[in-house]
Amino acid sequence: MATTGTTGDSRAPVPARGARSAHDAARTRLLGLQRQDGSWEGEMEWNTTGTAQYVIVMRILERPLDEATRRGLVQHFRSARSPGGGWALHPQGPPSPYATTLAYLALRLLGAAPTDPLTAEAAAWLRALPGAPAVPQWGTFWLALLGLVPYEDLAPVPPEAMLLPARAPLHPSRLLGWTRMLYQAMAYLYGTRFAADLGPLAAELRHELFPHGGRTGEPLPGIDAHFPPGRALRLLTHCLRGWERVHSRGLRRAALERCHRAVADEQHASPHHGLSSANALLECLVLYARDPHHPLLEGAVGRLAYWRWTDTRRGVRICGDRSTVWDTSFAAQALLAADPGHVPDAVLRARAHLAGAQVTAYTGLVAPLRTVLGGWAFSDGNSRWPVGDCTAEALNALLDDGGSAPPPLPPHSLHAALGVLLDRQNRDGGFGTLDRQRAGRWLEALNPTEMFLGCMTDSSSVDCTGSVLTALARLRRHLDPDDRRRAETATGRAVAYLRAAQNPDGSFTGTWGIHHTYAAFLAARGLRAAGVRPDDPAPAALGRWLATTQLADGGWGENWRGCAERRHIPLDHGLPEMTSWAVLAALDTLGPRHPAVARGIRWLCDHQRPDGSWENDHVNGVSFATLMLRYPLYSAYFPTLALGRYLHATATTTPATGSPARAWTTGTGR
């Protein structure tokens, strides 16, 4: 339950353990996680579906896996299984027909017999469902690739959309980058009706998954099917099914050629690993379907190793993405928080790594749709897909020095970084991720995934906008007059966006973290960096929301279900990441002497382990409202950041004696 009434006493109680000692232990722990190259990275943990798709792709490509890899993959499925025989989409979620179906197929392709306990229990669980396997369209697509269901079971993915004029509302170039890359690969495979030849195994798998024949069933609401198709999508699907009966063969060949060229261009543009593991896997299939001896195929298959993680307990698996730049940026900021004017050697090495990760070359065959040079990707410098908030947080780490040192990047690099940021500002003043929004929100009504929300357009988000606002403030003093004016104009529009995006109760809704506390941290930091005072209505309302949603134990914690339901659902206990985000937001809105801040700091001190760490077994990140993720390093650097900023703020202020509108310093505004 949340506690209220924490606004009366302005004296901060002393935490049970000193904040300084807790910060020192956390800082030591974080330093111990730094790699030799100066970076930090924790596995971005998701579910078994990417690993299952990897197994499927390698089987289709006729690439045998060595015995050690095979055993490691089986171990991963064994370690990730939910009670009852299924696999979930994340550790806190219920078993998923989609994840379970793919895991079953992967295990069978890896040589597991139908009587093996892993597969037998999974098959029994699936058969207990109505219309097993009740998988969404994305899962049915993989069944079709294996030749287990006809392509007629799929909602059409017509490649002819690639031939539409670029200005057409339904041209794939208007889609969000991740979705666009998936579409052009899926459209090629759908258009060619590509299906693997599994030999006698195909009939066995059909019987095991569909013992009574028939087609796939309806996805289960609330598990795999969060967003069932509406009237507009059903009408479009009906029209596209008609198109599939009458389309021109010549037009289809031209469309397939366009899809293939787009995939080949991405192989040239991202020669090291591609945009994501999901894209990389499908692109391998496109190249193989085009020509089993395609000149780009061996390189594409070899790059799949980039997405692999291995350890003894969890085996071999495929991650959804790599987070080197993201983790390194926040880790460096956390180490600077208590004393921004002192830059330790670990941060210098991290900054050298980040400086080397700036995108400075583009090797694609055609001009990209977005500004590329000068940005930072989520993963590393070998990606050619810079992201708005990743660019912003890299800059925040590079320029977070108390304002006394010259920037570690030359002026032309800062100018290029500004260009990447401004290219991602949307008409509403907010900032997106990979691209600028190229279509209205109406396009979301045609979302065919059934599983994900907000995956059609690169809409503005509160969290990305907050990150960029902070970066613009830190960049401003290093820019020439023309660039400074551009940054100031963008800042004004972004502040207006955040004001408009604030919920009536004072909270903000997050997009890439769970959930309202994540958005609160980034929005509050961005507003303060932009010069918005704490007594302004927006941060004041956010501060009141933070105080009234603090839990009885002094922390903050949110249920992951709130992401899909678009509302704040509190847990009955705090979590380290969410408590840290809320404390950071409260520092920028309520001030360091507010009792809510002190109780949050007390929670962090009381729940720290002897080795300086915090419990971190909950999901804490999200993509597209339903794809829950766990970033293991979040519980290492965000508490360090919160404790450090608290120490810095309390060291530079005296106990508040009047209005909470004092211009206290928390290390974000410059």
Side-chain angles (χ1 to χ4, degrees):
M1 58 180 291
T3 182
T4 59
T6 62
T7 59
D9 186 359
S10 63
R11 295 171 300 170
V14 178
R17 287 178 55 194
R20 172 63 65 182
S21 63
H23 174 263
D24 290 347
R27 192 172 183 276
T28 299
R29 166 80 176 177
L30 186 58
L31 286 169
L33 298 173
Q34 189 175 25
R35 294 173 167 181
Q36 287 296 113
D37 64 1
S39 71
W40 282 263
E41 185 184 15
E43 177 188 359
M44 192 188 83
E45 299 175 14
W46 62 332
N47 53 57
T48 57
T49 60
T51 304
Q53 290 164 12
Y54 171 77
V55 173
I56 292 170
V57 168
M58 296 303 281
R59 175 60 180 266
I60 293 174
L61 298 180
E62 300 178 313
R63 280 357 187 234
L65 298 169
D66 62 79
E67 182 58 22
T69 298
R70 191 198 70 80
R71 287 198 306 267
L73 290 164
V74 173
Q75 170 61 20
H76 179 59
F77 288 113
R78 181 179 293 110
S79 68
R81 188 173 60 155
S82 299
W87 281 265
L89 290 174
H90 62 89
Q92 275 84 56
S96 154
Y98 165 54
T100 302
T101 298
L102 288 189
Y104 181 88
L105 290 168
L107 286 165
R108 292 286 282 118
L109 294 175
L110 288 169
T115 54
D116 185 290
L118 279 177
T119 50
E121 292 179 17
W125 186 85
L126 286 169
R127 284 195 292 268
L129 300 175
V135 297
Q137 284 292 311
W138 184 221
T140 307
F141 181 79
W142 285 94
L143 292 171
L145 287 176
L146 287 171
L148 302 180
V149 300
Y151 271 94
E152 287 69 27
D153 281 12
L154 282 174
V157 190
E160 285 80 10
M162 297 288 288
L163 300 177
L164 291 171
R167 298 178 63 88
L170 294 180
H171 192 279
S173 65
R174 300 194 177 270
L175 296 171
L176 171 65
W178 287 287
T179 307
R180 183 169 68 247
M181 293 294 105
L182 287 172
Y183 178 89
Q184 63 196 28
M186 292 176 69
Y188 185 92
L189 296 167
Y190 175 87
T192 59
R193 299 299 195 270
F194 174 79
D197 181 5
L198 298 180
L201 180 60
E204 295 177 22
L205 292 174
R206 287 193 201 97
H207 176 71
E208 293 159 19
L209 290 175
F210 309 102
H212 305 295
R215 299 188 175 189
T216 54
E218 290 297 321
L220 298 186
I223 298 179
D224 287 339
H226 292 273
F227 313 105
R231 180 179 300 177
L233 179 58
R234 291 196 301 270
L235 177 60
L236 177 62
T237 300
H238 177 76
C239 294
L240 292 177
R241 290 192 190 281
W243 169 253
E244 286 300 308
R245 291 192 292 268
V246 301
H247 68 76
S248 158
R249 292 184 180 180
L251 199 63
R252 173 64 49 103
R253 285 194 296 270
L256 291 172
E257 179 59 30
R258 187 69 59 87
C259 291
H260 169 256
R261 289 210 311 267
V263 168
D265 178 64
E266 170 59 10
Q267 292 292 310
H268 288 285
S270 299
H272 294 280
H273 49 70
L275 173 56
S276 73
S277 59
N279 300 94
L281 288 166
L282 280 184
E283 287 173 5
C284 286
L285 291 182
V286 169
L287 299 176
Y288 181 81
R290 174 79 172 196
D291 178 2
H293 305 288
H294 198 292
L296 297 175
L297 180 58
E298 289 304 317
V301 174
R303 289 191 291 271
L304 295 179
Y306 175 79
W307 306 104
R308 282 177 50 167
W309 284 76
T310 304
D311 60 50
T312 302
R313 184 178 68 86
R314 298 183 59 224
V316 177
R317 64 270 188 196
I318 300 298
C319 65
D321 207 339
R322 302 290 298 266
S323 55
T324 312
V325 164
W326 187 249
D327 284 337
T328 302
S329 298
F330 276 113
Q333 293 178 67
L335 293 175
L336 290 167
D339 185 4
H342 172 66
V343 183
D345 177 69
V347 174
L348 292 176
R349 293 194 297 119
R351 286 180 169 175
H353 182 88
L354 289 173
Q358 189 176 25
V359 178
T360 58
Y362 184 75
T363 55
L365 303 178
V366 298
L369 293 174
R370 64 219 180 276
T371 300
V372 171
L373 303 185
W376 279 264
F378 185 72
S379 55
D380 59 26
N382 290 320
S383 174
R384 295 299 176 261
W385 285 86
V387 185
D389 57 344
C390 299
T391 298
E393 295 303 343
L395 288 169
N396 289 336
L398 288 162
L399 304 177
D400 187 6
D401 54 16
S404 58
L409 293 176
H412 71 271
S413 295
L414 296 176
H415 171 81
L418 176 66
V420 169
L421 293 177
L422 299 187
D423 183 62
R424 282 144 182 80
Q425 187 167 34
N426 291 319
R427 291 183 179 180
D428 60 8
F431 287 83
T433 54
L434 293 173
D435 301 306
R436 186 180 300 170
Q437 186 174 346
R438 302 180 189 280
R441 293 300 298 270
W442 60 267
L443 192 58
E444 297 294 340
L446 302 181
N447 176 0
T449 65
E450 303 174 312
M451 299 179 67
F452 307 122
L453 179 68
C455 63
M456 298 295 283
T457 62
D458 209 332
S459 303
S460 300
S461 71
V462 167
D463 20 312
C464 289
T465 302
S467 288
V468 173
L469 271 175
T470 305
L472 290 175
R474 293 176 179 175
L475 261 176
R476 194 176 301 135
R477 68 180 182 273
H478 302 296
L479 300 175
D480 63 39
D482 288 341
D483 279 348
R484 191 175 301 119
R485 282 191 291 271
R486 295 169 65 207
E488 289 170 352
T489 299
T491 295
R493 294 178 60 213
V495 169
Y497 165 80
L498 287 182
R499 293 186 188 279
Q502 191 167 23
N503 297 319
D505 64 359
S507 67
F508 289 91
T509 301
T511 299
W512 301 103
I514 303 175
H515 183 222
H516 286 67
T517 46
Y518 181 74
F521 155 50
L522 294 165
R525 186 184 63 160
L527 289 170
R528 288 283 288 131
V532 178
R533 291 175 59 86
D535 59 345
D536 180 274
L542 177 57
R544 289 191 295 271
W545 180 84
L546 290 164
T548 57
T549 55
Q550 190 171 29
L551 301 171
D553 66 0
W556 283 262
E558 295 186 72
N559 191 305
W560 58 271
R561 290 183 173 86
C563 297
E565 298 181 21
R566 312 304 286 171
R567 63 189 181 95
H568 176 67
I569 304 178
L571 297 173
D572 60 0
H573 61 281
L575 294 175
E577 305 92 328
M578 296 164 195
T579 299
S580 301
W581 295 331
V583 165
L584 288 161
L587 284 169
D588 281 325
T589 55
L590 299 172
R593 303 291 175 176
H594 194 281
V597 172
R599 294 184 69 233
I601 292 294
R602 179 189 291 273
W603 190 97
L604 290 173
C605 292
D606 288 349
H607 288 79
Q608 189 179 36
R609 292 167 170 169
D611 66 353
S613 68
W614 283 264
E615 175 191 2
N616 65 344
D617 59 350
H618 277 260
V619 291
N620 48 30
V622 61
S623 293
F624 309 125
T626 60
L627 181 56
M628 302 298 148
L629 308 166
R630 190 178 82 90
Y631 294 88
L633 292 190
Y634 273 16
S635 64
Y637 50 68
F638 281 122
T640 310
L641 181 63
L643 289 164
R645 286 202 178 148
Y646 173 77
L647 291 169
H648 179 68
T650 53
T652 54
T653 62
T654 57
T657 57
S659 166
R662 290 175 52 83
W664 52 76
T665 302
T666 61
T668 57
R670 297 283 185 246

